[in-house]
């Protein structure tokens, strides 16, 4: 229609119709899969699990791990099925005793006011949830009815304990607290005290603190052993900070966690040219601590791929003192600025310290030269003439 009106050329319309709409016009950039997502979820799919019965051996944990719709469905069906099962038992007892036909049965029924399956179902609900409306009750006529009453009360208590415990544990799971523990989107590598350091920023959005907080880092990459064995998930842990034996932090405000890249670091041979999306490198960061309000241990996780590490960048300050207290500007939580950083590995920097001296000299000359130019171009705001002195 548009081609007939002369708005779109007919050649273009025919070309667009000849294209295959199912074929993508732009091919997405291939990126290495990650083991841990940015939100901390495990990106691993389990297939061909033959021993499914192992999950039933730990029913409580299986129920807690289920999604909320499945948990609520099991919660509802467990009560409905138990009510229906015992309603059938009460109906059979009344049927065997002849209580369903008024006037033909015994003078004293096993359960009063049960004349159909509906009344037996209502009595089953009253017994299990201990409502006790008063219209129906067990008499001493049938010992079997008394035994069923005891069994149903025990079964009801067990279902209540399991399902309510499952719901309470599911609402108080530790990873809920981890939703307010945030990490910077990118990690950076820059100089700190003359050494290359891997740095990231972590913060807590809540006012309640994380007690005994510790942070760990794991480098995950594919390696090959000297015997030729390919290890697809080779994990190498590396501590942060200056003290190698202690990884505890005091998370009262957003902190910059740094790892010194030295000879013992798995990043010792990492170069700026290796920070691309095809590089087989993933750094997993794990933050653990005890929630101050509940006392539950929580864990927050994230990971950084090679293309999510910025070389020669540094995080901007976000903590400032205002009106006698410290304030944090979370709008600049992940902002970085470029800083002078040698474009070499930490090994090359340790072998040739002149690279650092040249970088320091270059960075020192830059501001002096700019300042001298600024001073030369500056004009005085006022002048004193000789006449004013006389």
């Amino acid at each position: 229609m548009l081609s007939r009106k002369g708005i779109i050329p007919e050649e273009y319309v025919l070309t667009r119709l000849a294209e295959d709409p199912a074929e993508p016009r732009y091919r997405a950039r291939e990126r290495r899969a990650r083991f841990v997502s940015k939100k901390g979820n495990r990106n691993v799919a389990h297939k061909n699990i033959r021993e499914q019965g192992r999950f039933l051996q730990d029913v409580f944990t299986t129920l807690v791990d289920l999604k909320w719709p499945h948990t609520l469905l099991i919660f509802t069906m467990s009560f409905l099925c138990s009510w229906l099962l015992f309603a059938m038992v009460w109906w059979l007892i009344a049927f065997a005793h002849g209580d369903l036909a008024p006037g033909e049965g015994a003078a004293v029924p096993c359960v009063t006011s049960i004349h159909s399956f509906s009344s037996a179902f209502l009595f089953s609900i009253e017994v299990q949830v201990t409502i006790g409306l008063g219209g129906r009750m067990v008499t001493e006529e049938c010992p079997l009815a008394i035994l069923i009453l005891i069994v149903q009360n025990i079964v009801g208590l067990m279902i209540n304990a399991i399902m309510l415990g499952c719901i309470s544990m599911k609402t108080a799971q530790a990873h809920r607290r981890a939703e307010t523990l945030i990490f910077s989107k990118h990690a950076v590598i820059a100089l700190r005290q003359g050494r290359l350091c891997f740095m990231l920023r972590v913060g807590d959005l809540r006012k309640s603190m994380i007690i005994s907080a510790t942070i760990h880092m794991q480098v995950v990459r594919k390696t090959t052993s000297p015997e030729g064995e390919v290890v697809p998930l080779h994990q190498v842990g590396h501590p942060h900070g200056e003290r190698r034996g202690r990884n505890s932090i005091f998370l009262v405000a957003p902190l910059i966690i740094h790892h010194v890249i030295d000879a013992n670091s798995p990043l010792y041979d990492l170069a700026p040219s290796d920070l691309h999306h095809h590089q087989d490198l993933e750094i997993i960061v794990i933050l653990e601590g005890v929630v101050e309000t509940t006392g539950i241990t929580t864990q927050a996780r994230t990971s950084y791929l090679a293309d999510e590490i910025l070389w020669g960048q540094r995080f901007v300050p976000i903590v400032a003192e205002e009106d006698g207290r410290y304030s944090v500007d979370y709008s600049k939580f992940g902002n970085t600025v470029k800083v002078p950083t040698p474009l070499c590995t930490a090994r090359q920097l340790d072998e040739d310290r002149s690279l650092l001296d040249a970088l320091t000299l270059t960075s020192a000359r830059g501001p002096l030269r700019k300042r001298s130019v600024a001073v030369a171009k500056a004009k005085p705001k006022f002048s004193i003439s000789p006449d004013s002195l006389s």
Side-chain angles (χ1 to χ4, degrees):
M1 182 185 299
L2 296 177
S3 61
R4 293 177 183 177
K5 295 182 180 181
I7 299 177
I8 298 178
E10 186 176 358
E11 296 81 2
Y12 179 79
V13 177
L14 293 177
T15 303
R16 293 294 299 158
L17 292 177
E19 294 181 358
D20 187 6
E23 182 180 357
R25 297 182 60 190
Y26 302 99
R27 183 173 297 177
R29 184 181 67 174
E30 296 181 359
R31 192 175 188 180
R32 177 185 176 274
R34 63 202 317 157
F35 285 98
V36 178
S37 65
K38 297 296 289 185
K39 295 183 178 181
N41 300 322
R42 184 175 55 175
N43 190 26
V44 179
H46 299 280
K47 296 182 179 180
N48 301 325
I49 300 178
R50 298 180 180 180
E51 299 181 1
Q52 298 287 346
R54 292 181 176 269
F55 295 98
L56 298 179
Q57 296 178 2
D58 188 7
V59 180
F60 187 79
T61 304
T62 303
L63 292 176
V64 174
D65 290 340
L66 290 177
K67 295 182 179 180
W68 271 109
H70 299 161
T71 303
L72 295 178
L73 178 62
I74 295 176
F75 180 84
T76 305
M77 293 303 299
S78 62
F79 285 102
L80 285 178
C81 292
S82 62
W83 294 340
L84 289 172
L85 176 62
F86 283 99
M88 180 62 68
V89 174
W90 290 118
W91 183 84
L92 290 176
I93 292 177
F95 177 78
H97 196 258
D99 299 336
L100 299 180
E104 299 180 2
V108 180
C110 292
V111 181
T112 60
S113 302
I114 289 185
H115 307 291
S116 62
F117 182 78
S118 299
S119 58
F121 180 73
L122 292 176
F123 179 71
S124 176
I125 297 177
E126 294 176 8
V127 170
Q128 188 161 332
V129 300
T130 63
I131 295 178
L133 297 179
R136 303 174 184 88
M137 60 181 178
V138 180
T139 63
E140 67 274 7
E141 181 70 17
C142 302
L144 180 60
I146 299 176
L147 179 62
I148 296 300
L149 179 66
I150 297 174
V151 172
Q152 186 173 5
N153 277 281
I154 295 175
V155 172
L157 290 175
M158 293 178 61
I159 295 177
N160 289 336
I162 294 175
M163 298 310 301
L164 294 180
C166 175
I167 296 297
S168 62
M169 286 295 297
K170 197 170 182 63
T171 54
Q173 281 183 332
H175 69 271
R176 302 296 179 185
R177 179 61 176 87
E179 296 293 335
T180 52
L181 297 174
I182 57 176
F183 299 87
S184 57
K185 183 179 180 181
H186 295 89
V188 299
I189 293 180
L191 288 174
R192 175 174 283 192
Q193 297 180 356
R195 306 296 297 271
L196 285 176
C197 295
F198 172 86
M199 293 176 284
L200 61 102
R201 176 173 276 169
V202 60
D204 188 5
L205 299 180
R206 290 187 179 272
K207 292 184 178 180
S208 59
M209 296 182 56
I210 299 295
I211 304 173
S212 302
T214 58
I215 195 163
H216 307 275
M217 301 181 190
Q218 296 284 336
V219 175
V220 180
R221 57 176 34 165
K222 183 186 297 184
T223 59
T224 304
S225 64
E227 294 79 14
E229 179 186 3
V230 178
V231 182
L233 185 59
H234 181 64
Q235 300 185 24
V236 180
H238 58 284
H240 67 88
E242 300 295 338
R243 297 182 180 180
R244 296 287 175 165
R246 300 179 60 185
N247 292 334
S248 60
I249 58 176
F250 183 54
L251 196 59
V252 66
L255 299 177
I256 297 178
I257 308 300
H258 75 280
H259 160 71
V260 180
I261 305 177
D262 53 9
N264 298 322
S265 172
L267 307 178
Y268 196 49
D269 295 321
L270 184 67
S273 58
D274 297 331
L275 302 181
H276 53 80
H277 61 279
H278 290 296
Q279 179 68 19
D280 185 15
L281 175 65
E282 181 178 0
I283 300 178
I284 301 175
V285 182
I286 304 171
L287 174 63
E288 291 183 341
V290 179
V291 182
E292 184 180 18
T293 54
T294 61
I296 301 176
T297 302
T298 185
Q299 184 182 97
R301 299 175 296 269
T302 190
S303 68
Y304 298 96
L305 296 181
D307 58 342
E308 296 173 347
I309 302 174
L310 306 178
W311 192 280
Q313 302 275 345
R314 185 171 56 194
F315 292 103
V316 299
I318 60 174
V319 180
E321 186 177 357
E322 296 179 358
D323 300 331
R325 61 188 305 180
Y326 290 97
S327 63
V328 181
D329 186 6
Y330 280 99
S331 64
K332 303 177 182 179
F333 184 80
N335 293 1
T336 60
V337 293
K338 292 184 178 181
V339 292
T341 306
L343 301 177
C344 62
T345 64
R347 181 188 297 273
Q348 295 173 351
L349 185 61
D350 291 343
E351 294 175 354
D352 188 4
R353 300 299 295 181
S354 62
L355 298 173
L356 182 60
D357 298 336
L359 182 67
T360 305
L361 183 60
T362 303
S363 60
R365 287 180 178 177
L368 290 176
R369 183 172 53 199
K370 292 181 180 179
R371 184 173 182 180
S372 61
V373 174
V375 172
K377 293 183 178 180
K379 295 182 180 180
K381 296 183 180 180
F382 61 92
S383 61
I384 302 177
S385 60
D387 296 337
S388 61
L389 298 177
S390 58

